[in-house]
Amino acid sequence: MASTEVQPVPDGCTSVAPWIVTRDSAKAIDFIVEAFGGEELFRVPNEDGSVGHAEVRIGDSVVLLFDAKDTWPDTPALLRLYIEDVDTVFAKALKAGAVAVTELSTAAWGDRGGRVRDPLGNIWWLMERVENVSDEEAQARWNQPQYAASMRDAQQSLDRVLGRVP
């Protein structure tokens, strides 16, 4: 007999799910599948052939997408993706058409990562935990030159790609 109890969060969903609203969701889905090994769950077309709703699973998360109307402003998504083997996935993203925003480096708190901008303007933080670092150790590392430079580059590179600085 089927359970009649309704779960507030459906099986297979996480509490927070990001939306990507873009001018070409079909192209975004292709990029996610190629670069990150995403699995398209489904898409619902509008009468005009645009994407009214789509879902793609990446790891244990579902990303939702739909096509923006022509009158809407561009709204690039900013997404963090924890993955295994960040170096390989970063290279795959570039091969799939992304542009490097922030080169790969290791942060004071033990994550190795970098950022890419996909062909539709969305920014993906590609991250992998490579070291377990206590809060105290992370705080102590902030003043070490390699970690300070990494943080400075992360902040400045996003400004550059979004056109905020010359």
Side-chain angles (χ1 to χ4, degrees), residues 9-157:
V9 178
D11 287 337
C13 291
T14 54
S15 295
V16 176
W19 284 92
I20 297 176
V21 180
T22 181
R23 305 264 177 231
D24 191 346
S25 293
K27 185 175 182 177
I29 292 166
D30 290 344
F31 173 80
I32 292 167
V33 168
E34 183 179 346
F36 308 133
E39 173 192 1
E40 182 177 342
L41 301 176
F42 65 88
R43 78 174 77 178
V44 179
N46 289 321
E47 290 178 2
D48 65 0
S50 63
V51 175
H53 180 84
E55 296 186 10
V56 179
R57 181 175 302 284
I58 307 172
D60 64 355
S61 300
V62 174
V63 176
L64 305 120
L65 303 99
F66 68 88
D67 286 339
K69 297 194 182 292
D70 290 337
T71 57
W72 294 0
D74 288 337
T75 55
L78 299 129
L79 305 137
R80 179 176 69 180
L81 177 59
Y82 271 100
I83 48 178
E84 191 173 321
D85 195 0
V86 70
D87 292 83
T88 298
V89 175
F90 193 88
K92 279 179 63 176
L94 297 178
K95 186 175 180 189
V99 175
V101 172
T102 308
E103 294 300 327
L104 292 165
S105 65
T106 302
W109 56 88
D111 286 353
R112 179 167 173 72
R115 290 184 286 210
V116 298
R117 186 175 197 170
D118 73 21
L120 295 151
N122 301 298
I123 307 291
W124 296 82
W125 274 257
L126 305 179
M127 308 295 288
E128 177 181 12
R129 178 62 45 100
V130 294
E131 180 183 13
N132 291 322
V133 177
S134 69
D135 291 343
E136 295 79 19
E137 177 65 17
Q139 287 293 325
R141 289 179 174 186
W142 281 112
N143 293 326
Q144 294 178 14
Q146 71 270 26
Y147 298 117
S150 175
M151 181 58 73
R152 190 170 41 259
D153 182 51
Q155 293 167 346
Q156 292 172 352
S157 65

